Amino acid sequence: MNEMKKPKHAAFASAFYVPVDPVALNIPHYFTAIKNPMDLSTVAKKLQTGAYQRAKDFEADVRLIFSNCYKFNPEGNPVHEMGKQLEAVFEEKWAQKHLWIADNAPTAQSPSQSGSDEEESDDGEETEQAAQSSAATAALAQRLIEEQTKLITLMQAKNPDQGLIQMQQDMVALVQSRIQENAKSTAPGKKAPKKPKAPKGAKKPAPKKAAGGPGKKGAASRQRYLGTLEKETISAGLASLPDEVAESVLEMIKNDKPDVDVSLAPQLTHYLC
């Protein structure tokens, strides 16, 4: 709600701030066509009063705003296009819900005990938390690959929308930061100065791959679909992964495609694309 109400979106979001006034807008037949009107101020009030018991109830009301808009305003109508723009903002923000859930998921607390019983309980809790954190990191790594793929698709469009590209870049950066935070919480005592060495060592075989690539149909076909900007985007994403996460991603790819040599970053890049 806060995102949709930001001033930078006001040009197209303001039409949905308050309930439709058929008299002021000279559309007396509005309530004949729209049986369940909805607007952002009504959704905000329901949020403040605790009317929503589940997230999907909130989502249903927001989507009702857009469905009403498209029903009353056909394609080509300015208000219809404004609804599409606001819906894109909502979809971008709503897609981050699972990240918030992952970051705020409650963890079981061990009972207060004394002596060795308390130490054993603490050890068990730490082991459980480490396992949960590892699973969350693997999920975030997979999410990073998906978001980078979406970004590449947007950049390769015939008429790329810079606004959507910027939002997708923000999403990629957000997932990367979550991975880094998760890695730090998993191994707070470990230093990570060696982390950049992996991408540096992986970049060395790149010229050899490019030199021998023209003779291989698979490599040539992939290179035609991957531009410099996209390569830099994926490379930056891989470089941001902690060592243990990168190993998990490589292992997933190795299991899914045994013929790919995951020890080489260029081959990994082609596989992801």
Side-chain angles (χ1 to χ4, degrees):
M1 284 300 298
N2 291 337
E3 179 65 29
M4 289 189 290
K5 287 185 175 181
K6 286 183 177 180
K8 65 180 180 180
H9 304 311
F12 52 84
S14 58
F16 308 96
Y17 283 169
V18 297
V20 173
D21 186 342
V23 177
L25 298 175
N26 194 26
I27 47 176
H29 59 293
Y30 181 79
F31 291 121
T32 301
I34 304 301
K35 303 298 183 182
N36 298 298
M38 186 56 60
D39 64 280
L40 293 179
S41 66
T42 300
V43 175
K45 289 178 182 178
K46 294 177 73 172
L47 274 175
Q48 294 171 358
T49 57
Y52 296 122
Q53 298 301 315
R54 297 171 297 180
K56 66 178 183 179
D57 295 334
F58 162 79
E59 179 186 11
D61 271 356
V62 174
R63 296 194 183 281
L64 179 60
I65 296 175
F66 304 131
S67 62
N68 287 344
C69 171
Y70 306 146
K71 182 178 181 180
F72 192 79
N73 305 280
E75 291 188 15
N77 185 291
V79 179
H80 184 102
E81 298 304 318
M82 293 166 69
K84 287 292 185 182
Q85 289 179 279
L86 183 60
E87 185 177 20
V89 174
F90 171 74
E91 294 289 1
E92 184 69 25
K93 200 68 176 176
W94 191 249
Q96 302 174 19
K97 178 169 66 71
H98 73 285
L99 294 178
W100 185 92
I101 293 175
D103 289 343
N104 294 271
T107 56
Q109 296 182 353
S110 59
S112 176
Q113 298 178 353
S114 60
S116 60
D117 290 341
E118 182 176 358
E119 293 179 357
E120 292 177 359
S121 178
D122 290 342
D123 292 341
E125 181 179 346
E126 290 178 359
T127 301
E128 181 179 358
Q129 290 178 347
Q132 292 176 348
S133 180
S134 178
T137 301
L140 287 172
Q142 181 63 32
R143 178 68 179 183
L144 178 61
I145 295 174
E146 295 174 359
E147 296 303 335
Q148 288 177 325
T149 302
K150 292 179 183 179
L151 177 58
I152 292 173
T153 301
L154 290 174
M155 290 189 295
Q156 290 179 332
K158 292 183 179 179
N159 298 309
D161 187 324
Q162 295 303 320
L164 291 179
I165 289 177
Q166 181 59 52
M167 286 191 293
Q168 189 61 30
Q169 288 175 334
D170 292 341
M171 170 65 79
V172 171
L174 177 63
V175 178
Q176 290 174 341
S177 65
R178 289 290 187 274
I179 291 175
Q180 293 173 347
E181 292 172 3
N182 203 332
K184 291 179 181 178
S185 64
T186 303
K190 296 182 179 180
K191 297 182 180 179
K194 297 182 179 180
K195 196 163 59 175
K197 291 185 178 180
K200 286 182 179 179
K203 289 181 179 178
K204 292 181 179 179
K208 298 181 180 178
K209 184 67 177 182
K216 297 183 180 180
K217 295 182 179 179
S221 61
R222 293 190 184 102
Q223 289 174 356
R224 286 197 297 269
Y225 292 96
L226 193 64
T228 301
L229 182 57
E230 289 84 350
K231 287 183 178 179
E232 292 178 352
T233 300
I234 294 180
S235 178
L238 294 174
S240 69
L241 295 176
D243 290 342
E244 62 273 16
V245 177
E247 292 176 0
S248 298
V249 174
L250 295 177
E251 186 63 28
M252 286 189 292
I253 293 174
K254 183 176 180 181
N255 293 334
D256 184 55
K257 194 161 183 76
D259 59 328
V260 174
D261 185 359
V262 296
S263 65
L264 298 180
Q267 293 179 338
L268 175 58
T269 299
H270 290 311
Y271 173 71
L272 293 177
C273 300

